[in-house]
Amino acid sequence: MIGRLNHVAIVVSDLARAAALYRDTLGARVSAPVPMPAHGVTTVFIELPNTKIELLHPLGDKSPVQAFLDRNPSGGMHHVCYEVDDILAARDRLKAAGMRVLGDGEPKIGAHGKPVLFLHPKDMCGTLVEIEQA
Ligand code: CO
C-alpha cells in the first residue's frame, strides 16, 4: 500500500535562514517562500534527487505549526508524507486497523494540490504521518 516518501516537513523559526542553509551551504534547489493561507503556513520547497523537504513557518493567527514552534523554539521535524495509490482505500484500511485519522476523516487538498490525510502520531510510532494520493 505505502509508496514513495513524498516529503519530510521541518518547522523552522527563521525561514530565510533555513532556506539559505539548504541553498547555499547544502547546495540544494530551493524555492522562493510560498504563502499558503489555507494551511496557515509559509512553505519553502526543497527538491532533492529522491524526495522533497518542506520548510514550514507559521502564517496567521491560527497556524497549525505555531504550537509546535512554541514547544520546539529551534524548530524540528514535523511530519513525513508517504504516497498511496488510493487515499480512500488507504484510509479505510488504516481505520480498520485502529488508526486515528485526524480531522473529519475526509481528504483535504494539500500543499501539492493532491488529497491528503494525517494520521495520529500516537498510532504511528510517535511521528505525525501524512498520506497523499500519488
Ligand atoms: Co506535508
Side-chain angles (χ1 to χ4, degrees), residues 12 15 33-37 40-44 55-59 63 65:
V12 301
L15 200 52
V34 181
M36 301 194 158
V41 293
T42 301
T43 299
V44 165
L55 305 179
L56 304 176
H57 188 74
L59 174 65
S63 173
V65 299

Side-chain angles (χ1 to χ4, degrees), residues 40 58-64 66-67:
L59 174 65
D61 295 338
K62 297 184 303 184
S63 173
Q66 184 61 59

Side-chain angles (χ1 to χ4, degrees), residues 9-76:
I10 298 172
V11 172
V12 301
S13 58
D14 183 333
L15 200 52
R17 219 175 114 213
L21 169 68
Y22 275 86
R23 184 184 55 237
D24 303 332
T25 308
L26 296 176
R29 219 163 78 191
V30 173
S31 80
V34 181
M36 301 194 158
H39 295 278
V41 293
T42 301
T43 299
V44 165
F45 296 98
I46 298 168
E47 282 190 44
L48 303 182
N50 62 341
T51 190
K52 297 186 280 281
I53 305 293
E54 293 181 7
L55 305 179
L56 304 176
H57 188 74
L59 174 65
D61 295 338
K62 297 184 303 184
S63 173
V65 299
Q66 184 61 59
F68 182 94
L69 200 52
D70 292 342
R71 284 195 306 274
N72 307 275
S74 52

